[in-house]
Amino acid sequence: NAGVTQTPKFRILKIGQSMTLQCTQDMNHNYMYWYRQDPGMGLKLIYYSVGAGITDKGEVPNGYNVSRSTTEDFPLRLELAAPSQTSVYFCASRTSGTSFGANVLTFGAGSRLTVL
Amino acid sequence: KNEVEQSPQNLTAQEGEFITINCSYSVGISALHWLQQHPGGGIVSLFMLSSGKKKHGRLIATINIQEKHSSLHITASHPRDSAVYICAVNGETSGSRLTFGEGTQLTVNP
């Protein structure tokens, strides 16, 4: 199993450009999350999804959009990139329930985005 | 005031020392998570607990629900334990969302 795969690992954008961060998981997890981590700060939730076709805003959703057309994929779209979106982005997933390993988060390796 | 507070923010120890990292939270929770972020940036889940104590190798996590407090202990610390340790909670009213502490930077010197 690959776990949670994020691409790209690094990207430099110019102000006003758009891009999509890809996130795929092969564990059949129903919950998926996008976080950003600014230097010296804790993880902040951007968007999350509790299953295919269902998404909801987190703490810092402005400037981002998501979709969840399949259980496996949860892409994060940045429209009109701004320097304030320079950050490291993490995708994570988990299942729910009471079975062993349920509710434990699995993280992707992160995507470092710089907006100049 | 953050819902999740960790202490200390930074911790330096000598190899072999017993280490304790603390996490206090201000809301009712259904679960608490301890995560480790490696120097390269990757994040792994260490523990998820809602009561009592869990142990995995040299790592021990405890939680006191009444006092809204959790501790992460590392016995016989080693330089490879150097990382950022993050506490996160599932609030009772926040559904599937987690609230994260800002992390504790641990450095273990040989």
Side-chain angles (χ1 to χ4, degrees):
Chain A
N1 285 348
V4 177
T5 302
Q6 283 183 240
T7 57
K9 286 189 167 47
F10 302 94
R11 182 74 185 267
I12 298 174
L13 281 181
K14 293 183 180 176
I15 293 172
Q17 287 186 319
S18 299
M19 74 160 296
T20 300
L21 297 175
Q22 302 290 347
C23 177
T24 299
Q25 52 91 9
D26 61 358
M27 299 170 285
N28 201 33
H29 285 176
N30 46 339
Y31 293 96
M32 294 188 75
Y33 304 84
W34 272 107
Y35 297 99
R36 60 177 286 172
Q37 186 179 40
D38 298 329
M41 305 292 285
L43 291 157
K44 300 290 185 188
L45 181 64
I46 306 170
Y47 271 95
Y48 67 104
S49 168
V50 300
I54 306 168
T55 62
D56 209 346
K57 295 178 181 178
E59 302 168 79
V60 290
N62 291 344
Y64 307 95
N65 274 302
V66 293
S67 59
R68 186 95 181 269
S69 56
T70 66
T71 299
E72 295 78 18
D73 299 308
F74 190 42
L76 177 72
R77 178 86 178 156
L78 280 73
E79 304 283 2
L80 299 175
S84 61
Q85 293 178 302
T86 294
S87 190
V88 181
Y89 292 83
F90 288 95
C91 180
S93 72
R94 67 176 177 92
T95 187
S96 59
T98 56
S99 61
F100 181 80
N103 297 302
V104 176
L105 281 169
T106 301
F107 283 83
S111 300
R112 185 175 295 273
L113 176 67
T114 302
V115 182
L116 300 174
Chain B
K1 190 179 189 309
N2 291 337
E3 286 185 355
V4 180
E5 298 268 355
Q6 288 186 234
S7 64
Q9 283 187 307
N10 294 282
L11 180 56
T12 301
Q14 288 300 120
E15 184 172 356
E17 285 184 2
F18 180 84
I19 288 164
T20 296
I21 298 170
N22 297 299
C23 176
S24 296
Y25 51 92
S26 57
V27 296
I29 67 168
S30 56
L32 182 143
H33 302 252
W34 281 103
L35 310 170
Q36 180 192 54
Q37 186 167 24
H38 299 130
I43 302 174
V44 296
S45 183
L46 298 175
F47 296 103
M48 187 193 71
L49 62 167
S50 54
S51 65
K53 176 178 170 178
K54 286 190 176 180
K55 184 176 189 292
H56 182 70
R58 295 180 295 106
L59 300 178
I60 303 166
T62 64
I63 189 168
N64 185 317
I65 296 294
Q66 287 74 27
E67 294 187 4
K68 292 187 168 61
H69 181 269
S70 176
S71 293
L72 176 69
H73 305 285
I74 305 174
T75 62
S77 60
H78 189 277
R80 64 176 176 266
D81 297 325
S82 298
V84 176
Y85 292 84
I86 302 168
C87 173
V89 301
N90 262 116
E92 285 176 335
T93 58
S94 59
S96 58
R97 299 162 57 145
L98 290 175
T99 302
F100 292 81
E102 294 190 356
T104 295
Q105 173 70 62
L106 171 66
T107 302
V108 181
N109 293 319

